[in-house]
């Protein structure tokens, strides 16, 4: 099967031909280059109208036989650009009398990595201009395990570079400047597997305005943003029990980000695949490859039903073209367990948790995070227990060694024993600690332990004290994302969890949860 793919979600007017018998991919791309500032949707769409015919012609001339299907990027992306590409794809499919396939751009980033790596069921980190998220496969769909709560990774960097007067795209310029800079401390915001770049952008701009050399700010920007992305990737691996990671998106071309991800994977014993550079940025090759998989599975679309969707979420796509996922490792107790940020040993009813140094992070940043999280976990575990929520009893704390000793609780993680009664207990527990001004920070199904009738909250390392409704709602958001990433039928569990929280907590928190969901990059 030969598939013509057309990509045009934002800046790249691209066409490709993929032959699934030879696994050859020919790609022709004409990028949009704004004269100043960032991407202007109207100008980008004009570029698409001018460039798409020529890149398609070039791609077709490289085909070694007839085209069997036309695939196009249906979304997410800039509406004016998507409409140009959709129109071109429909016209080509009709003129060639072949099938039409509408592809989710973000799923294509994941699938090209899975296809090229040969991995069975990897976690995927996508980092592009407008987007940043972590995806995992569960029960026939790709689930958003974590995502930016404000702006995409590339757009965040571009905001800083526009502030200092650099032209688009800013990523390569920051990467070059950072090579000559000294690390400066900037805000680090990770909430479960979600993250935020707005604070770090404001701080970076202010540091530059205050006279900090732009090379130093660029170094701090890279070290902080990419450490956040690497950490949430490791958290996703830990949550899902997977040991394979692929990356996608234009920002993933950054050598420092690749280095961090590689160090994390090596330290964890996981496998990392970084696709060829031509498959990292927006490109039609990934559209054509996924289009061939979908066409073979019968996932074609009639012309009249082929409208674009600028907010097309990856978890809206039924994944029918791939086999079921292999089982994840179970939650059986062992003497040593490696979590996302710590090594845990169990002996004589006690758990020793040591936050190991993360070599991918800058040493100063790593030392600060391990120290602060150890102190907060000790305080919040004690205070939550005093409020009436089951938590481990704290036995010892060594801040210098970033080590805690607590009693062993539960028979297994909630991830491995999820059920309605259990998630209702979590809703009640979160409502209780929120009433005391405590935010857990990372209430995933791996940070809840269960045995018999009891449900325990553990690992308050990302927690803090706050009575802000937004912070409490983020706890709910993190837990629900983890349910969707680890439970076969998550929606009834989500409803039960929210019902229990509503009975014990504040309605304002649930209202704010809806607002947070609306801010997601793919909502």
């Amino acid at each position: 099967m030969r598939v013509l793919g057309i990509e045009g979600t934002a800046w790249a007017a691209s066409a490709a031909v993929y032959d699934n018998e030879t696994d050859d991919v020919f790609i022709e791309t004409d990028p949009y280059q704004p004269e100043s500032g960032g991407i202007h949707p109207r100008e980008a769409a004009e570029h698409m109208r001018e460039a798409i015919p020529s890149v398609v012609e070039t791609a077709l001339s490289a085909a070694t036989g007839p085209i069997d299907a036309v695939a196009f990027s249906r979304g997410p992306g800039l509406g004016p650009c998507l409409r140009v590409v959709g129109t071109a794809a429909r016209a080509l499919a009709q003129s060639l009398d072949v099938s039409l396939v509408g592809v989710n751009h973000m799923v294509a980033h994941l699938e090209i990595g899975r296809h090229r790596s040969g991995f069975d069921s990897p976690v995927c980190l996508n980092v592009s201009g407008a987007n940043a998220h972590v995806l995992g496969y569960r029960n026939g769909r790709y689930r958003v395990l974590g995502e930016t709560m404000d702006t995409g990774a590339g757009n965040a960097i571009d905001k800083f570079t526009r502030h200092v007067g650099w032209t688009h795209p800013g990523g390569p310029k920051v990467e070059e400047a950072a090579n000559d800079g000294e690390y400066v401390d900037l805000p680090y915001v990770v909430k479960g597997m979600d993250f935020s770049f707005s604070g770090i952008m404001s701080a970076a701009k202010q540091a530059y305005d205050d006279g900090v050399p732009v090379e130093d700010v660029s170094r701090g920007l890279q070290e902080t943003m990419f450490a956040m992305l690497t950490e949430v990737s490791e958290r996703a691996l830990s949550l899902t029990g997977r040991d394979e990671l692929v990356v996608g998106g234009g920002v993933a071309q950054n050598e420092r980000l690749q280095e961090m991800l590689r160090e994390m994977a090596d330290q964890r014993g996981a496998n990392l695949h970084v696709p060829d550079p031509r498959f990292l940025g927006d490109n039609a090759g990934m559209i054509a490859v996924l289009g061939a998989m979908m066409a073979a599975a019968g996932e074609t679309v009639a012309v009249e039903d082929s409208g674009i969707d600028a907010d097309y979420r990856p978890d809206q796509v039924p994944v029918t073209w791939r086999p079921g996922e292999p089982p994840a490792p179970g939650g059986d107790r062992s003497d040593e367990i490696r979590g996302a940020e710590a090594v845990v040993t169990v002996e004589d009813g006690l758990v020793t948790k040591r936050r190991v140094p993360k070599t991918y992070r800058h040493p100063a940043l790593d030392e600060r995070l391990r120290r602060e999280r150890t102190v907060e976990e000790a305080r919040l575990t004690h205070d939550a227990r005093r409020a009436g929520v089951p938590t481990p009893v704290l036995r010892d704390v060594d801040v210098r060694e970033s080590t805690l000793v607590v009693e062993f609780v539960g028979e297994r993680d909630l991830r491995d024993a999820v059920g309605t009664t259990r998630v209702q207990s979590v809703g009640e527990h979160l409502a209780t600690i929120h009433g005391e001004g405590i935010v857990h920070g990372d209430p995933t199904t791996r940070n809840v332990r269960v045995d018999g009738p009891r449900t325990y909250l553990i690992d308050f390392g990302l927690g803090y004290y706050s009575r802000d409704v937004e912070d409490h709602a983020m706890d709910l958001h993190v837990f629900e994302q983890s349910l969707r990433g680890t439970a076969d039928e998550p929606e009834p569990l989500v409803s039960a969890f929210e019902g229990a929280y509503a009975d014990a907590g504040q309605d304002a928190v649930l209202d704010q949860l809806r607002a947070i969901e609306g801010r997601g990059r793919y909502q």
Side-chain angles (χ1 to χ4, degrees), residues 138-165:
R138 183 73 181 186
N139 200 29
R141 290 181 188 265
Y142 286 113
R143 310 292 178 173
V144 179
L145 304 175
E147 60 188 320
T148 175
M149 286 291 101
D150 37 49
T151 187
N155 287 356
I157 293 173
D158 286 342
K159 289 179 181 179
F160 171 72
T161 57
R162 286 199 296 272
H163 184 76
V164 304

mmCIF file of all heavy atoms in Angstrom, residues 138-165:
data_model
loop_
_atom_site.group_PDB
_atom_site.id
_atom_site.type_symbol
_atom_site.label_atom_id
_atom_site.label_comp_id
_atom_site.label_asym_id
_atom_site.label_seq_id
_atom_site.Cartn_x
_atom_site.Cartn_y
_atom_site.Cartn_z
ATOM 1 N N ARG A 138 -4.142 2.706 26.678
ATOM 2 C CA ARG A 138 -4.925 1.904 27.627
ATOM 3 C C ARG A 138 -6.291 1.602 27.050
ATOM 4 O O ARG A 138 -7.051 2.511 26.691
ATOM 5 C CB ARG A 138 -5.095 2.672 28.954
ATOM 6 C CG ARG A 138 -5.828 1.901 30.036
ATOM 7 C CD ARG A 138 -4.968 0.799 30.624
ATOM 8 N NE ARG A 138 -5.654 0.032 31.641
ATOM 9 C CZ ARG A 138 -5.070 -0.909 32.375
ATOM 10 N NH1 ARG A 138 -3.788 -1.165 32.235
ATOM 11 N NH2 ARG A 138 -5.759 -1.598 33.264
ATOM 12 N N ASN A 139 -6.608 0.320 26.937
ATOM 13 C CA ASN A 139 -7.951 -0.130 26.601
ATOM 14 C C ASN A 139 -8.493 0.529 25.327
ATOM 15 O O ASN A 139 -9.595 1.045 25.298
ATOM 16 C CB ASN A 139 -8.911 0.130 27.772
ATOM 17 C CG ASN A 139 -10.166 -0.712 27.692
ATOM 18 O OD1 ASN A 139 -10.156 -1.796 27.149
ATOM 19 N ND2 ASN A 139 -11.253 -0.203 28.247
ATOM 20 N N GLY A 140 -7.683 0.490 24.258
ATOM 21 C CA GLY A 140 -8.169 0.920 22.963
ATOM 22 C C GLY A 140 -8.043 2.391 22.656
ATOM 23 O O GLY A 140 -8.504 2.832 21.595
ATOM 24 N N ARG A 141 -7.418 3.176 23.562
ATOM 25 C CA ARG A 141 -7.241 4.603 23.290
ATOM 26 C C ARG A 141 -5.917 5.081 23.877
ATOM 27 O O ARG A 141 -5.389 4.496 24.818
ATOM 28 C CB ARG A 141 -8.395 5.445 23.872
ATOM 29 C CG ARG A 141 -9.715 5.271 23.156
ATOM 30 C CD ARG A 141 -10.798 6.154 23.761
ATOM 31 N NE ARG A 141 -12.104 5.845 23.178
ATOM 32 C CZ ARG A 141 -12.641 6.505 22.148
ATOM 33 N NH1 ARG A 141 -11.993 7.528 21.621
ATOM 34 N NH2 ARG A 141 -13.821 6.170 21.671
ATOM 35 N N TYR A 142 -5.419 6.183 23.318
ATOM 36 C CA TYR A 142 -4.271 6.848 23.929
ATOM 37 C C TYR A 142 -4.777 7.837 24.972
ATOM 38 O O TYR A 142 -5.614 8.693 24.677
ATOM 39 C CB TYR A 142 -3.430 7.550 22.865
ATOM 40 C CG TYR A 142 -2.635 6.575 22.043
ATOM 41 C CD1 TYR A 142 -2.906 6.372 20.689
ATOM 42 C CD2 TYR A 142 -1.620 5.823 22.629
ATOM 43 C CE1 TYR A 142 -2.182 5.458 19.939
ATOM 44 C CE2 TYR A 142 -0.895 4.900 21.889
ATOM 45 C CZ TYR A 142 -1.187 4.727 20.551
ATOM 46 O OH TYR A 142 -0.472 3.802 19.822
ATOM 47 N N ARG A 143 -4.281 7.684 26.177
ATOM 48 C CA ARG A 143 -4.730 8.502 27.301
ATOM 49 C C ARG A 143 -3.721 9.612 27.586
ATOM 50 O O ARG A 143 -2.515 9.390 27.565
ATOM 51 C CB ARG A 143 -4.884 7.639 28.561
ATOM 52 C CG ARG A 143 -5.697 6.357 28.343
ATOM 53 C CD ARG A 143 -7.152 6.637 28.057
ATOM 54 N NE ARG A 143 -7.905 5.401 27.815
ATOM 55 C CZ ARG A 143 -9.229 5.355 27.681
ATOM 56 N NH1 ARG A 143 -9.945 6.453 27.772
ATOM 57 N NH2 ARG A 143 -9.829 4.197 27.444
ATOM 58 N N VAL A 144 -4.231 10.796 27.865
ATOM 59 C CA VAL A 144 -3.379 11.907 28.255
ATOM 60 C C VAL A 144 -3.055 11.743 29.733
ATOM 61 O O VAL A 144 -3.897 11.970 30.599
ATOM 62 C CB VAL A 144 -4.063 13.264 27.991
ATOM 63 C CG1 VAL A 144 -3.154 14.412 28.436
ATOM 64 C CG2 VAL A 144 -4.412 13.406 26.510
ATOM 65 N N LEU A 145 -1.830 11.343 30.022
ATOM 66 C CA LEU A 145 -1.405 11.134 31.413
ATOM 67 C C LEU A 145 -0.980 12.433 32.066
ATOM 68 O O LEU A 145 -1.069 12.578 33.293
ATOM 69 C CB LEU A 145 -0.249 10.130 31.455
ATOM 70 C CG LEU A 145 -0.520 8.769 30.819
ATOM 71 C CD1 LEU A 145 0.745 7.918 30.824
ATOM 72 C CD2 LEU A 145 -1.644 8.044 31.547
ATOM 73 N N GLY A 146 -0.504 13.370 31.293
ATOM 74 C CA GLY A 146 -0.085 14.664 31.810
ATOM 75 C C GLY A 146 0.099 15.626 30.659
ATOM 76 O O GLY A 146 0.398 15.224 29.531
ATOM 77 N N GLU A 147 -0.100 16.923 30.937
ATOM 78 C CA GLU A 147 0.008 17.916 29.875
ATOM 79 C C GLU A 147 0.268 19.288 30.459
ATOM 80 O O GLU A 147 0.127 19.514 31.666
ATOM 81 C CB GLU A 147 -1.257 17.939 29.022
ATOM 82 C CG GLU A 147 -2.533 18.283 29.769
ATOM 83 C CD GLU A 147 -3.782 18.100 28.909
ATOM 84 O OE1 GLU A 147 -3.732 18.444 27.720
ATOM 85 O OE2 GLU A 147 -4.790 17.615 29.432
ATOM 86 N N THR A 148 0.655 20.227 29.582
ATOM 87 C CA THR A 148 0.838 21.591 30.026
ATOM 88 C C THR A 148 -0.499 22.207 30.394
ATOM 89 O O THR A 148 -1.502 21.975 29.722
ATOM 90 C CB THR A 148 1.525 22.440 28.948
ATOM 91 O OG1 THR A 148 1.567 23.795 29.392
ATOM 92 C CG2 THR A 148 0.792 22.382 27.630
ATOM 93 N N MET A 149 -0.484 23.000 31.447
ATOM 94 C CA MET A 149 -1.697 23.668 31.886
ATOM 95 C C MET A 149 -1.794 25.101 31.358
ATOM 96 O O MET A 149 -2.712 25.828 31.713
ATOM 97 C CB MET A 149 -1.762 23.683 33.417
ATOM 98 C CG MET A 149 -2.095 22.324 34.022
ATOM 99 S SD MET A 149 -3.806 21.801 33.699
ATOM 100 C CE MET A 149 -3.585 20.649 32.342
ATOM 101 N N ASP A 150 -0.851 25.514 30.539
ATOM 102 C CA ASP A 150 -0.944 26.857 29.991
ATOM 103 C C ASP A 150 -0.499 26.924 28.528
ATOM 104 O O ASP A 150 -1.310 26.989 27.638
ATOM 105 C CB ASP A 150 -0.179 27.883 30.849
ATOM 106 C CG ASP A 150 1.105 27.334 31.438
ATOM 107 O OD1 ASP A 150 1.890 26.735 30.677
ATOM 108 O OD2 ASP A 150 1.322 27.503 32.648
ATOM 109 N N THR A 151 0.794 26.829 28.275
ATOM 110 C CA THR A 151 1.283 26.989 26.909
ATOM 111 C C THR A 151 2.178 25.833 26.524
ATOM 112 O O THR A 151 2.714 25.128 27.384
ATOM 113 C CB THR A 151 2.045 28.332 26.783
ATOM 114 O OG1 THR A 151 2.379 28.564 25.418
ATOM 115 C CG2 THR A 151 3.323 28.309 27.610
ATOM 116 N N GLY A 152 2.327 25.617 25.220
ATOM 117 C CA GLY A 152 3.195 24.558 24.739
ATOM 118 C C GLY A 152 4.655 24.871 24.980
ATOM 119 O O GLY A 152 5.050 26.023 25.225
ATOM 120 N N ALA A 153 5.510 23.845 24.878
ATOM 121 C CA ALA A 153 6.925 24.016 25.192
ATOM 122 C C ALA A 153 7.599 24.987 24.226
ATOM 123 O O ALA A 153 8.311 25.912 24.646
ATOM 124 C CB ALA A 153 7.624 22.658 25.159
ATOM 125 N N GLY A 154 7.403 24.778 22.932
ATOM 126 C CA GLY A 154 8.040 25.656 21.960
ATOM 127 C C GLY A 154 7.527 27.073 22.031
ATOM 128 O O GLY A 154 8.308 28.039 21.937
ATOM 129 N N ASN A 155 6.220 27.238 22.213
ATOM 130 C CA ASN A 155 5.659 28.582 22.325
ATOM 131 C C ASN A 155 6.181 29.303 23.555
ATOM 132 O O ASN A 155 6.388 30.524 23.533
ATOM 133 C CB ASN A 155 4.131 28.515 22.370
ATOM 134 C CG ASN A 155 3.524 28.181 21.022
ATOM 135 O OD1 ASN A 155 4.236 28.077 20.027
ATOM 136 N ND2 ASN A 155 2.214 27.997 20.979
ATOM 137 N N ALA A 156 6.376 28.566 24.638
ATOM 138 C CA ALA A 156 6.915 29.178 25.851
ATOM 139 C C ALA A 156 8.317 29.723 25.597
ATOM 140 O O ALA A 156 8.649 30.854 25.984
ATOM 141 C CB ALA A 156 6.941 28.156 26.986
ATOM 142 N N ILE A 157 9.147 28.933 24.942
ATOM 143 C CA ILE A 157 10.505 29.393 24.628
ATOM 144 C C ILE A 157 10.451 30.583 23.679
ATOM 145 O O ILE A 157 11.196 31.568 23.829
ATOM 146 C CB ILE A 157 11.327 28.242 24.024
ATOM 147 C CG1 ILE A 157 11.567 27.158 25.087
ATOM 148 C CG2 ILE A 157 12.648 28.750 23.472
ATOM 149 C CD1 ILE A 157 12.218 25.895 24.555
ATOM 150 N N ASP A 158 9.543 30.520 22.698
ATOM 151 C CA ASP A 158 9.430 31.626 21.741
ATOM 152 C C ASP A 158 9.017 32.931 22.423
ATOM 153 O O ASP A 158 9.415 34.021 21.990
ATOM 154 C CB ASP A 158 8.430 31.277 20.646
ATOM 155 C CG ASP A 158 8.978 30.260 19.651
ATOM 156 O OD1 ASP A 158 10.207 30.089 19.606
ATOM 157 O OD2 ASP A 158 8.172 29.634 18.936
ATOM 158 N N LYS A 159 8.206 32.846 23.464
ATOM 159 C CA LYS A 159 7.811 34.064 24.188
ATOM 160 C C LYS A 159 9.024 34.742 24.805
ATOM 161 O O LYS A 159 9.135 35.975 24.810
ATOM 162 C CB LYS A 159 6.775 33.724 25.265
ATOM 163 C CG LYS A 159 5.405 33.363 24.714
ATOM 164 C CD LYS A 159 4.424 33.020 25.820
ATOM 165 C CE LYS A 159 3.068 32.642 25.260
ATOM 166 N NZ LYS A 159 2.090 32.285 26.327
ATOM 167 N N PHE A 160 9.924 33.932 25.329
ATOM 168 C CA PHE A 160 11.148 34.503 25.896
ATOM 169 C C PHE A 160 12.031 35.101 24.802
ATOM 170 O O PHE A 160 12.547 36.214 24.936
ATOM 171 C CB PHE A 160 11.919 33.437 26.671
ATOM 172 C CG PHE A 160 13.292 33.878 27.093
ATOM 173 C CD1 PHE A 160 13.457 34.810 28.113
ATOM 174 C CD2 PHE A 160 14.416 33.378 26.453
ATOM 175 C CE1 PHE A 160 14.729 35.238 28.493
ATOM 176 C CE2 PHE A 160 15.681 33.786 26.829
ATOM 177 C CZ PHE A 160 15.841 34.721 27.849
ATOM 178 N N THR A 161 12.200 34.382 23.701
ATOM 179 C CA THR A 161 13.099 34.875 22.659
ATOM 180 C C THR A 161 12.550 36.124 21.981
ATOM 181 O O THR A 161 13.331 37.007 21.586
ATOM 182 C CB THR A 161 13.383 33.777 21.615
ATOM 183 O OG1 THR A 161 12.153 33.312 21.055
ATOM 184 C CG2 THR A 161 14.119 32.614 22.260
ATOM 185 N N ARG A 162 11.232 36.232 21.850
ATOM 186 C CA ARG A 162 10.671 37.475 21.311
ATOM 187 C C ARG A 162 10.947 38.631 22.260
ATOM 188 O O ARG A 162 11.199 39.754 21.832
ATOM 189 C CB ARG A 162 9.161 37.323 21.078
ATOM 190 C CG ARG A 162 8.815 36.472 19.876
ATOM 191 C CD ARG A 162 7.386 36.712 19.409
ATOM 192 N NE ARG A 162 6.405 36.325 20.402
ATOM 193 C CZ ARG A 162 5.900 35.103 20.502
ATOM 194 N NH1 ARG A 162 6.306 34.145 19.679
ATOM 195 N NH2 ARG A 162 4.987 34.822 21.414
ATOM 196 N N HIS A 163 10.910 38.339 23.568
ATOM 197 C CA HIS A 163 11.157 39.370 24.575
ATOM 198 C C HIS A 163 12.583 39.920 24.465
ATOM 199 O O HIS A 163 12.814 41.116 24.686
ATOM 200 C CB HIS A 163 10.918 38.787 25.976
ATOM 201 C CG HIS A 163 11.048 39.780 27.080
ATOM 202 N ND1 HIS A 163 10.073 40.713 27.364
ATOM 203 C CD2 HIS A 163 12.062 40.006 27.977
ATOM 204 C CE1 HIS A 163 10.456 41.453 28.388
ATOM 205 N NE2 HIS A 163 11.662 41.045 28.782
ATOM 206 N N VAL A 164 13.529 39.060 24.121
ATOM 207 C CA VAL A 164 14.922 39.515 24.015
ATOM 208 C C VAL A 164 15.274 39.964 22.598
ATOM 209 O O VAL A 164 16.418 40.346 22.333
ATOM 210 C CB VAL A 164 15.903 38.418 24.490
ATOM 211 C CG1 VAL A 164 15.569 37.991 25.905
ATOM 212 C CG2 VAL A 164 15.905 37.217 23.555
ATOM 213 N N GLY A 165 14.297 39.893 21.674
ATOM 214 C CA GLY A 165 14.508 40.417 20.329
ATOM 215 C C GLY A 165 15.006 39.421 19.305
ATOM 216 O O GLY A 165 15.462 39.823 18.220
#
